[in-house]
């Protein structure tokens, strides 16, 4: 089963980083991430990496990063960054991809998803696949716009618990100005036991 996105992102790729809210979102996400999880020397999956804004910030610290996005145009923008320890993969998360693609041969210490989960059509399956890709004690951390596409704190907590994550926490760590309005960002994280 392939996990599909509810939006085609190719048309947004070239101008994605021209939007200050996109850059600010990823900077704030990275700042929160390093306060909660040690990323030094870790193997990381950046799920729905887009143009690689978060991968770019993690790259100096991580051992290696697999940057997965279903948008070829987004991955082309990531490629322009020429990050030596980031392997871009154009595809949608699926059990088939995980079984066949060499980038998924080992487990990950950390999976991040910045402004992604709200657009995944089958989030329960995506979380189950993500959990299966983590080492024991590995973390899944995501950030999304609060109350967008059903991303309430309660829904996120329930989804992570249903996928059998433990030490689940959900918080609203920062706001981003989007179209002149402050929008809360929700962060959910869970650990594989």
């Amino acid at each position: 089963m392939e996990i599909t996105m509810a939006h085609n992102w190719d048309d947004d790729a070239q101008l994605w980083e021209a939007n200050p809210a996109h850059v600010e979102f990823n900077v704030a996400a990275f700042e929160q991430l390093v306060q909660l999880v040690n990323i030094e020397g870790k193997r990381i999956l950046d799920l729905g990496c887009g143009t690689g804004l978060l991968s770019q910030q993690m790259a100096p610290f991580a051992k290696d990063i697999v940057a997965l996005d279903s948008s070829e145009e987004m991955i082309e923008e990531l490629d322009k960054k020429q990050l030596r320890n980031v392997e871009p993969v154009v595809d949608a998360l699926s059990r088939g991809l995980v079984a066949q693609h060499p980038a998924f041969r080992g487990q990950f210490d950390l999976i991040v998803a910045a402004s992604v989960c709200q657009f995944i059509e089958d989030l329960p399956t995506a979380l189950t696949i993500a959990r299966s890709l983590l080492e024991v004690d590995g973390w899944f951390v995501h950030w999304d716009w609060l109350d967008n596409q059903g991303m309430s704190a309660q829904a996120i907590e329930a989804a992570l618990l249903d996928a059998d994550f433990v030490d689940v926490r959900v918080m609203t760590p920062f706001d981003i100005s989007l179209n002149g309005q402050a929008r809360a960002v929700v962060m959910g994280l869970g650990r594989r036991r």
Side-chain angles (χ1 to χ4, degrees), residues 98-155:
V98 169
Q100 296 176 358
H101 197 288
F104 294 89
R105 292 286 188 257
Q107 299 295 98
F108 295 94
D109 302 299
L110 172 66
I111 298 175
V112 297
S115 190
V116 174
C117 291
Q118 63 199 353
F119 300 106
I120 296 175
E121 291 182 351
D122 185 357
L123 185 57
T125 298
L127 290 174
T128 299
I129 294 171
R131 187 188 162 285
S132 75
L133 293 171
L134 285 168
E135 291 279 0
V136 171
D137 292 327
W139 286 93
F140 175 84
V141 183
H142 81 95
W143 303 264
D144 280 293
W145 300 107
L146 181 63
D147 295 325
N148 188 42
Q149 306 287 332
M151 285 288 128
S152 69
Q154 296 83 4

Side-chain angles (χ1 to χ4, degrees), residues 65-107:
I65 299 170
V66 174
L68 176 66
D69 202 286
S70 60
S71 167
E72 188 171 345
E73 296 295 323
M74 288 285 192
I75 291 293
E76 285 181 14
E77 293 301 311
L78 167 61
D79 282 340
K80 293 175 185 176
K81 292 176 172 63
Q82 298 182 340
L83 303 170
R84 64 165 183 74
N85 60 338
V86 175
E87 180 176 350
V89 176
V90 180
D91 210 330
L93 182 64
S94 68
R95 285 184 172 82
L97 171 72
V98 169
Q100 296 176 358
H101 197 288
F104 294 89
R105 292 286 188 257
Q107 299 295 98

